[in-house]
Structure formats: structure tokens, C-alpha cells
């Protein structure tokens, strides 16, 4: 069993408290590593290192060109170590190895994208009426505190670190306590790649003892968080005390809308992929499946039949389509929702734990039909492979049901009628909407939600904007006195 250490001020360190947290393989329920049980003292070390690096260390002297080169070097290293990173990610969080490989590739692409964008941060000349020159400069926010979830550990770290570093910020990042291993593995390369001490700091630990101190620390200027709405609300209240800038993506309950004229086979695949990819542990999962009445019965039957063929298995088996859930806590949560659903709707597939597995946090891909949009399984984010299928009676009804949710992260529309598709796109209140597809995510395009799915945007040029301040500079070109007296 390997013991990893945190990364603070360019060095591997243990927790100030000396404690350790176990890290599990969710397919065997066995401990595969330990990481430091970080606390407020560790966050203080990391935040002070980040502040010093931002204000007086090597980072302020690093040009945009050099920051870009550093990110390119990191991307190259990730690609060289892709096989071992994917295996470690798969073992740590339970996702199939084929999906972990895809995530690692996307991680490298994200660092490459922001490596190129580092030199594209532009100011502006403001046309003022006076005999003067007015400039708008873009400058880094400062120290960024970043808290990431357990479902895409390495990729979510890239989504936070890459734009912040490209902008010129320094970072204190806390990975989820369940899945810290690939982020810590990556941290071990940073010094050799040329990142100066304090530019990136990684603190492990629980949310209450390591995450909360990041949000409240006086040296942290901005907080970026991906996670649950409940925790997001706590972060907002805490950040308000020091008026920190905050961006957050808080998940959702995304509608996946199927009209009767949709390509039927593609639609079935899109419905299953949308809710069962990554074991359903996806913030944008299309877990509310809205189906128009003329195809409703046929759709349910086809979905249920195909769901029963989804192969569950060990994450490192290349034939596996669904692995275990990430932890005992998440397993218990999803199992509870499976039982809730049995009292609210008609179970047509799954609904329990697969009998083939004696160990591991496995649950069956589960489909409930004839779900009322007021049911718990239709309104609450389950974050697991549980689909709620809801019938609708036409375009207006579909839009009404789709928008009847406190969330607004993503949605999908399936129809051959492009006019209808675009009407629905304009009417549905969500930050990401796919047409005749489900879940494609591109680093070049914005990611974020409406309503209780959070605010701010990641990815694309929007992502780096969240780490920049705007400074106005006024230069008097008039040689005459102001003439106030």
C-alpha cells in the first residue's frame, strides 16, 4: 500500500496533524493507498505559499509565454504517463478503464488549450471624450482556492488549474478525499517540469477540515467549486464574509427530451448513454428522460431490453461498460433511491444490486417508467445509474416539464425537425443543450448552468475570464492644469 503526500510550496509534505486517510478500490472495497488528513494548518501553509509565489516569488516574473510552455510540458507528461494514470484513476474511482483513458486524454488537451490561451489575454483601449488615453488591463485575480469532485478527478483538476495558471494566478487545490491519487501523482512532476514553488499547492483531506479552511482563508482571493448544491450554498455563505469571487458548478437533473420523429435507434442509445455513462456519476446526466406519447411504450421496452445487456464488471476489464460506484456512502445513497423509486413509479429494469458480485459497490442500471415529475426520483439529484422516464404530450408539455426543476445545467433534444429543436433549445433554461446527441464536452466551449446548477463558466475563453480582474488606466494627454481652483 502506497502512502502519498501533499504538495505544498514545491515539496512533498505530510499533514501538520500527522493523520492519514484511507483510499479505497471501490471494486474490491480494499484500501489501496493512504493520503494525509489535511487540516486548517496545512491549508494555511499552502495559502501562504501561494500568496508569496503570487506577490514576490517566481510566478509574477513568469511571462505569459513561459506559463503557456509550462502547461504544454505538463500536457506532454500526462500523455507520456497516460496508461498508468488511467489505470490508477480506474482503480481509485471505479470507472471503466476505457472511460479513464478518454478522461486522461481530455486532461492533456485541457492543459494544451490553456497553454495556447495564456498569450491571448487581451486588454482594450477605451474611446474616452477627453484629451486622454484610457486603457483596460486584464490581470490575474490572485490566489485561487479550488475544490473538485470525485467523479472525474484528474479532468476536474485540469478544468480548474489550467485556466488559473494561464491567467497568472497561483492555486490551492483540494481533491475529493475519495479520489485524490491521480492529482497527487501529477503533482509529483510539477517541480521537475519547471513550475516554481507555490504556484500549485495540493492539500488532501475532508471537506469540513480541509475544504472549508480554503474558502475562509484570508489569502485566498477566489474560490472555484464543483460539487453538490448543498455544499455550494455553504461555500457561498462563507465566501460572503470576505467578498471572495466565487464560481461554482453544482450539478443538475437534466432533461433528455425525445420527440416521436427522432431517429429511434440513435435515441435509445442516447438515452442509455446519457444516464449510465460513468455509472451515472455525472453532473449533467440525462436522468430525466422525457418521451413523447406516440413512441412512449416502444421506447420503454427498447430501453429496458438494452439496459439489461449493459456489462457490469471490474473497472480494469476492457469489456466493462459500468463499474462500481465510487464509495460505500454513494452506494448506500443510490440503493436508497432505487427503493424510493419502487414506491413512486414502475420499475422496468434493474432496481438492486447485481447478484454476480460479492464485493464492490455495484448497482444495476435502473429504469423507472411512468414517473410523475413531482416524484423524488424526478426532482432530486441521485448521481447514480437511475433513470426516470416521463411521458409528455407535445412540444409545450415537454418544455413545461423540462423547466420544472430547480436545476439548469444541461439538456438534450432529439428530433428530425430542426425548427422544433431550435424552439426547444431557446425555451429550455439550461446552460448546455445538445441536439441529437448527449454528453459531448469540448474544451473550446463554455460549461456551466442556470438556477441552482451554479454560476460562472468553465472551459473555453470563458474559463480564463473567471480568473482575471479588469483594471482601468486613465492617462492625461492635456498639458493644461485641471483648473479646479
Amino acid at each position: 500500500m502506497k502512502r502519498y503526500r501533499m504538495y505544498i510550496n514545491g515539496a512533498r509534505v505530510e499533514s501538520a496533524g500527522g493523520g492519514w486517510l484511507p483510499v479505497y478500490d471501490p471494486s474490491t472495497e480494499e484500501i489501496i493507498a493512504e493520503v494525509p488528513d489535511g487540516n486548517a494548518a496545512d491549508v494555511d501553509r499552502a495559502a501562504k505559499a501561494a500568496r508569496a509565489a503570487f506577490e514576490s516569488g517566481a510566478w509574477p516574473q513568469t511571462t505569459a509565454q513561459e506559463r503557456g510552455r509550462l502547461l504544454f510540458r505538463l500536457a506532454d507528461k500526462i500523455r507520456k504517463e497516460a496508461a498508468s494514470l488511467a489505470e490508477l484513476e480506474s482503480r481509485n474511482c471505479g470507472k471503466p478503464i476505457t472511460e479513464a483513458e478518454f478522461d486522461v486524454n481530455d486532461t492533456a488537451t485541457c492543459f494544451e488549450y490553456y497553454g495556447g490561451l495564456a498569450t491571448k489575454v487581451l486588454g482594450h483601449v477605451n474611446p474616452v471624450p477627453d484629451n486622454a488615453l484610457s486603457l483596460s488591463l486584464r490581470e490575474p485575480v490572485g490566489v485561487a482556492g479550488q475544490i473538485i469532485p470525485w467523479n472525474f478527478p484528474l479532468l476536474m483538476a485540469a478544468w480548474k488549474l489550467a485556466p488559473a495558471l494561464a491567467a497568472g494566478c497561483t492555486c490551492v487545490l483540494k481533491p475529493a478525499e475519495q479520489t485524490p491519487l491521480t492529482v497527487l501523482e501529477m503533482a509529483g512532476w510539477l517541480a521537475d517540469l519547471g513550475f516554481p514553488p507555490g504556484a500549485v499547492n495540493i492539500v488532501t483531506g475532508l471537506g469540513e477540515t480541509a475544504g472549508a479552511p480554503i474558502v475562509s482563508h484570508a489569502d485566498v482571493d477566489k474560490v472555484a467549486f464543483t460539487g453538490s448544491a448543498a455544499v455550494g450554498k455553504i461555500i457561498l455563505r462563507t465566501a460572503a464574509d470576505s467578498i471572495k469571487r466565487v464560481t461554482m458548478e453544482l450539478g443538475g437533473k437534466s432533461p433528455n427530451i425525445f420527440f416521436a420523429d427522432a431517429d429511434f435507434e440513435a435515441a435509445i442509445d442516447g438515452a442509455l448513454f446519457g444516464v449510465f455513462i460513468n455509472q451515472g456519476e455525472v453532473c449533467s446526466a440525462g436522468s430525466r428522460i422525457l418521451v413523447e406519447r406516440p413512441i412512449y411504450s416502444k421506447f420503454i421496452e427498447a430501453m429496458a431490453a438494452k439496459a439489461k445487456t449493459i456489462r457490469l464488471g471490474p473497472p480494469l476489464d476492457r469489456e466493462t461498460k459500468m463499474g462500481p460506484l465510487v464509495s460505500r456512502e454513494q452506494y448506500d445513497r443510490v440503493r436508497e433511491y432505487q427503493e424510493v423509486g419502487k414506491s413512486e413509479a414502475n420499475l422496468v429494469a434493474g432496481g438492486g444490486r447485481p447478484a454476480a458480485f460479492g464485493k464492490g459497490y455495484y448497482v444495476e442500471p435502473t429504469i423507472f417508467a411512468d414517473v410523475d415529475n413531482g416524484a423524488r426520483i424526478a426532482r432530486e439529484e441521485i448521481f447514480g445509474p437511475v433513470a426516470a422516464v416521463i411521458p409528455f404530450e407535445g412540444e409545450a408539455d415537454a418544455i413545461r416539464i423540462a423547466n420544472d426543476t430547480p436545476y439548469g445545467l444541461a439538456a438534450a433534444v432529439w428530433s428530425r425537425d430542426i425548427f422544433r429543436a431550435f424552439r426547444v433549445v431557446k425555451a429550455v433554461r439550461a446552460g448546455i443543450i445538445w441536439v441529437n446527441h448527449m454528453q459531448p464536452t469540448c474544451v473550446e466551449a463554455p460549461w456551466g448552468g442556470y438556477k441552482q446548477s451554479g454560476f460562472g463558466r468553465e472551459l473555453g475563453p470563458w474559463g480564463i475570464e473567471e480568473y482575471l480582474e479588469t483594471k482601468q488606466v486613465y492617462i492625461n494627454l492635456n498639458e493644461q492644469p485641471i483648473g479646479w481652483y
Side-chain angles (χ1 to χ4, degrees):
M1 181 182 65
K2 184 174 181 179
R3 273 191 166 180
Y4 288 79
R5 285 165 176 77
M6 298 184 290
Y7 184 76
I8 297 177
N9 204 26
R12 293 287 201 173
V13 298
E14 297 181 6
S15 169
W20 296 87
L21 294 173
V23 180
Y24 293 88
D25 178 338
S27 69
T28 64
E29 304 181 39
E30 296 174 354
I31 297 173
I32 57 172
E34 289 184 331
V35 299
D37 185 6
N39 56 31
D42 300 306
V43 170
D44 185 58
R45 280 192 291 170
K48 282 182 166 54
R51 173 59 61 193
F54 179 74
E55 292 185 350
S56 57
W59 201 240
Q61 286 76 49
T62 304
T63 64
Q65 289 86 350
E66 181 60 20
R67 292 198 300 271
R69 293 187 193 108
L70 288 170
L71 293 174
F72 282 127
R73 286 179 211 154
L74 181 53
D76 287 343
K77 179 66 172 175
I78 289 169
R79 292 201 188 281
K80 290 175 183 174
E81 303 293 337
S84 60
L85 281 173
E87 181 176 339
L88 185 60
E89 187 102 317
S90 184
R91 289 188 68 208
N92 189 184
C93 63
K95 68 175 61 193
I97 183 66
T98 52
E99 293 180 22
E101 289 169 345
F102 188 88
D103 292 350
V104 172
N105 180 69
D106 268 9
T107 299
T109 299
C110 184
F111 282 115
E112 287 168 344
Y113 177 84
Y114 283 105
L117 201 59
T119 56
K120 314 303 185 297
V121 176
L122 304 178
H124 186 73
V125 178
N126 308 308
V128 295
D130 301 326
N131 185 17
L133 182 64
S134 177
L135 309 176
S136 297
L137 306 182
R138 309 309 309 281
E139 298 181 341
V141 168
V143 176
Q146 302 169 319
I147 302 172
I148 61 173
W150 43 255
N151 56 338
F152 293 92
L154 194 60
L155 184 57
M156 291 296 100
W159 282 24
K160 299 288 190 292
L161 291 173
L165 294 169
C169 296
T170 55
C171 302
V172 179
L173 183 139
K174 190 194 91 66
E177 59 267 26
Q178 299 90 343
T179 56
L181 300 187
T182 48
V183 175
L184 291 173
E185 195 73 26
M186 180 183 70
W189 310 329
L190 297 177
D192 289 342
L193 292 173
F195 286 86
V200 178
N201 303 274
I202 310 295
V203 178
T204 56
L206 303 177
E208 298 84 355
T209 52
I214 291 176
V215 180
S216 61
H217 200 284
D219 280 318
V220 173
D221 300 298
K222 179 236 165 56
V223 174
F225 171 72
T226 298
S228 72
V231 175
K233 292 173 184 177
I234 295 170
I235 288 173
L236 272 178
R237 295 187 193 104
T238 304
D241 289 339
S242 54
I243 319 295
K244 282 181 173 59
R245 287 182 57 172
V246 179
T247 55
M248 50 180 56
E249 193 255 273
L250 305 178
K253 195 70 179 175
S254 301
N256 201 357
I257 306 167
F258 298 90
F259 287 94
D261 68 338
D263 181 313
F264 190 80
E265 291 303 318
I268 297 300
D269 286 348
L272 295 171
F273 183 84
V275 69
F276 296 142
I277 187 72
N278 203 54
Q279 298 75 246
E281 295 169 323
V282 182
C283 54
S284 57
S287 54
R288 286 195 302 151
I289 299 173
L290 281 55
V291 183
E292 197 167 19
R293 279 288 185 190
I295 60 169
Y296 183 77
S297 297
K298 181 182 176 184
F299 201 96
I300 293 289
E301 182 180 343
M303 265 193 75
K306 279 200 171 184
K308 293 169 184 175
T309 69
I310 295 173
R311 179 167 176 170
L312 277 69
L316 296 180
D317 184 339
R318 304 196 73 83
E319 299 301 315
T320 292
K321 294 299 182 186
M322 269 182 54
L325 299 178
V326 71
S327 65
R328 166 63 66 177
E329 179 184 13
Q330 190 62 16
Y331 171 83
D332 290 341
R333 174 183 172 85
V334 174
R335 288 288 291 116
E336 179 182 349
Y337 274 107
Q338 286 178 320
E339 296 307 309
V340 167
K342 292 172 185 177
S343 67
E344 292 184 324
N346 296 323
L347 178 66
V348 297
R353 176 186 175 86
F357 299 94
K359 286 186 176 181
Y361 306 128
Y362 292 92
V363 296
E364 295 174 318
T366 299
I367 301 172
F368 290 102
D370 307 325
V371 180
D372 183 87
N373 199 47
R376 285 184 62 191
I377 59 170
R379 300 197 70 77
E380 299 175 12
E381 186 176 33
I382 298 172
F383 225 69
V386 179
V389 187
I390 304 169
F392 68 87
E393 300 288 354
E395 186 178 322
D397 197 33
I399 293 168
R400 177 188 63 80
I401 296 170
N403 285 334
D404 184 15
T405 171
Y407 296 106
L409 180 59
V413 183
W414 299 74
S415 173
R416 287 189 176 95
D417 184 341
I418 194 66
F419 301 103
R420 171 195 283 155
F422 267 88
R423 288 196 300 270
V424 175
V425 163
K426 288 176 65 68
V428 171
R429 299 279 294 164
I432 307 119
I433 302 187
W434 299 292
V435 178
N436 295 328
H437 210 315
M438 188 66 193
Q439 301 291 12
T441 305
C442 306
V443 70
E444 299 86 357
W447 184 273
Y450 290 13
K451 299 188 280 188
Q452 291 191 33
S453 287
F455 50 84
R457 292 295 181 269
E458 294 184 298
L459 302 184
W462 299 268
I464 200 169
E465 286 290 331
E466 300 289 355
Y467 291 94
L468 293 169
E469 294 277 20
T470 300
K471 175 182 286 183
Q472 195 244 121
V473 179
Y474 180 96
I475 304 169
N476 181 23
L477 301 178
N478 191 342
E479 295 183 5
Q480 300 302 315
I482 294 174
W484 181 65
Y485 295 96

